[in-house]
Amino acid sequence: MTTKKDYLTPQELADRWGISRVWLYTLKKRGEVPKYRSGLGKLPRIQFPIGEVVEFEAQHFALKG
């Protein structure tokens, strides 16, 4: 069973990255965000699995040494 803590909303992800939600949606259109799921339940809501977010951050935000 999944819980709310397993996923981030677009606002939570934008806050995590220190960007606006508008910019997050711009990145989404460019395909520059982690894998996500949408259209679950009654509302078409985008949710980012926390595991995908962590993996994406490790691959794209890693410091180059």
Side-chain angles (χ1 to χ4, degrees):
M1 181 166 113
T2 61
T3 66
K4 181 173 171 50
K5 296 288 184 191
D6 294 333
Y7 296 90
L8 296 178
T9 65
Q11 185 63 57
E12 291 169 334
L13 183 57
D15 291 345
R16 180 182 175 109
W17 288 357
I19 61 174
S20 71
R21 200 167 74 190
V22 172
W23 184 244
L24 181 68
Y25 282 109
T26 299
L27 293 174
K28 180 180 165 289
K29 286 181 183 180
R30 294 179 181 177
E32 299 175 5
V33 295
K35 293 179 186 175
Y36 58 90
R37 66 182 196 173
S38 62
L40 300 173
K42 294 181 180 182
L43 298 174
R45 184 175 200 156
I46 295 171
Q47 296 180 334
F48 295 92
I50 192 68
E52 294 289 339
V53 170
V54 170
E55 184 178 327
F56 183 89
E57 290 171 344
Q59 291 176 358
H60 293 87
F61 302 152
L63 295 176
K64 306 292 183 202

